[in-house]
């Protein structure tokens, strides 16, 4: 991760994004008139930093950060093993199971009514950890299971949890509660895992979601000046109007 202060005549930051995507993945690049902020997973961090110097210079605070994710993964596995002492995973008793992320008794009950085995408490601004989702997976008495994050910020934790278990797990990239509900409604226990994954994905991808919320703090977003406490309307997660 690093932040570059743009030099005069800075090239289009899209060119930096395009280059980073050739040497790594999970590229996140945002920029404004003054800076470019970058997050990338790569085996060649030096190349990423060198390329960034064509666009500007690194700022002192915060300084560029490079972390070895393989070591992080190994440490996470060891932490999970330690936490699992005294925790007994459920024995598979059925073919399919479901782990859903939701907040609020009504929504949690709705997912349970639709067939969820475990509902992990979480959502916007209250993201569950990888360990929370992993324990939910291990608590589900099924041979194959679907995990529905129902929030874009929880997808990565769900996918990390999937990698930490030897169970047959499919993470559906549901980004909202309505998408999760639509996916559950599309499940057919007479179909196989792959067929259900396709059908459930097609179902939730057709869903358009509108949300009404309020601003937690003063901020700037896509040219809008937002004040704390203002009511916001979101269209599929993007600000529509205040």
């Amino acid at each position: 991760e690093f932040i570059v202060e743009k030099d005069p005549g800075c090239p289009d930051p899209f060119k930096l994004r395009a280059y980073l995507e050739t040497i790594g993945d999970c590229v996140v690049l945002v920029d404004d008139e003054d800076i470019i902020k970058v997050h990338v997973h790569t085996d060649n961090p030096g190349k990423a930093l060198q390329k960034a110097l064509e666009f500007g210079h690194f700022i002192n605070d915060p300084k560029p950060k490079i972390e070895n994710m393989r070591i992080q993964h190994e440490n996470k596995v060891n932490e999970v093993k330690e936490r699992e002492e005294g925790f007994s995973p459920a024995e598979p008793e059925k073919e399919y199971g479901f782990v859903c992320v939701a907040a609020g008794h009504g929504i949690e009950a709705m997912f349970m009514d639709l067939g969820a085995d475990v509902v992990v408490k979480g959502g916007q601004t209250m993201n569950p950890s990888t360990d929370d989702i992993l324990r939910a997976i291990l608590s589900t008495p099924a041979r194959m299971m679907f995990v529905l994050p129902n929030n874009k910020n929880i997808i990565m934790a769900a996918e990390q949890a999937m990698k930490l278990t030897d169970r047959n797990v499919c993470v559906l990239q549901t980004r909202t509660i309505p998408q999760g509900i639509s996916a559950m409604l599309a499940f057919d226990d007479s179909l196989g895992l792959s067929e259900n994954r396709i059908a459930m994905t097609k179902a939730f991808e057709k869903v358009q979601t509108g949300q009404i919320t309020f601003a937690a703090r003063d901020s700037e977003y896509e040219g809008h000046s937002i004040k704390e406490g203002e009511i916001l309307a979101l269209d599929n997660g993007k600000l529509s109007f205040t």
Side-chain angles (χ1 to χ4, degrees):
E1 295 180 355
F2 56 83
I3 298 177
V4 170
E5 185 171 335
K6 293 180 178 179
D7 286 340
C10 171
D12 187 342
F14 178 80
K15 295 180 179 179
L16 177 58
R17 177 194 293 275
Y19 173 77
L20 294 174
E21 288 177 345
T22 68
I23 64 168
D25 54 25
C26 297
V27 178
V28 178
L29 184 150
V30 294
D31 72 294
D32 59 21
E33 294 180 355
D34 301 314
I35 65 169
I36 305 172
K37 185 174 182 178
V38 173
H39 171 100
V40 60
H41 296 176
T42 177
D43 289 329
N44 300 286
K47 290 184 178 180
L49 297 174
Q50 188 64 41
K51 186 67 175 180
L53 290 173
E54 297 178 13
F55 296 78
H57 55 278
F58 299 114
I59 65 174
N60 291 328
D61 186 23
K63 294 181 179 179
K65 180 175 68 173
I66 301 174
E67 296 179 329
N68 189 324
M69 295 186 67
R70 293 188 179 90
I71 293 176
Q72 288 181 336
H73 177 76
E74 291 172 2
N75 290 339
K76 189 64 180 179
V77 171
N78 291 334
E79 287 176 13
V80 170
K81 287 180 178 178
E82 291 176 2
R83 292 177 186 175
E84 284 182 358
E85 292 181 3
F87 172 76
S88 299
E91 291 296 326
E93 299 174 354
K94 58 181 181 177
E95 199 68 15
Y96 289 107
F98 300 89
V99 172
C100 303
V101 179
H105 295 301
I107 295 175
E108 292 171 23
M110 186 182 300
F111 275 109
M112 296 299 288
D113 289 342
L114 289 171
D117 295 273
V118 180
V119 175
V120 180
K121 293 184 182 298
Q124 193 68 21
T125 73
M126 46 184 296
N127 300 341
S129 67
T130 297
D131 190 42
D132 292 332
I133 298 174
L134 178 61
R135 281 179 171 267
I137 290 171
L138 296 176
S139 298
T140 303
R143 284 174 282 278
M144 297 180 288
M145 63 192 76
F146 292 96
V147 178
L148 286 72
N150 299 329
N151 186 289
K152 66 179 181 179
N153 297 326
I154 302 174
I155 292 174
M156 184 176 291
E159 291 178 337
Q160 290 175 339
M162 177 182 67
K163 295 175 182 177
L164 294 173
T165 178
D166 57 1
R167 301 203 176 191
N168 197 354
V169 178
C170 174
V171 176
L172 297 176
Q173 297 197 1
T174 52
R175 290 169 165 76
T176 65
I177 294 297
Q179 284 190 343
I181 292 171
S182 297
M184 292 289 290
L185 289 170
F187 174 75
D188 184 343
D189 60 7
S190 68
L191 299 178
L193 181 68
S194 180
E195 292 84 355
N196 267 307
R197 177 183 61 80
I198 293 172
M200 295 169 77
T201 299
K202 286 182 177 179
F204 80 71
E205 286 182 342
K206 294 178 181 178
V207 175
Q208 304 295 314
T209 304
Q211 296 170 286
I212 302 296
T213 184
F214 62 90
R217 61 183 181 279
D218 293 348
S219 62
E220 295 284 335
Y221 181 78
E222 294 186 348
H224 297 277
S225 179
I226 301 171
K227 301 299 182 181
E228 181 180 352
E230 277 190 324
I231 302 299
L232 309 177
L234 304 179
D235 180 4
N236 290 315
K238 295 184 177 179
L239 183 65
S240 179
F241 61 85
T242 61

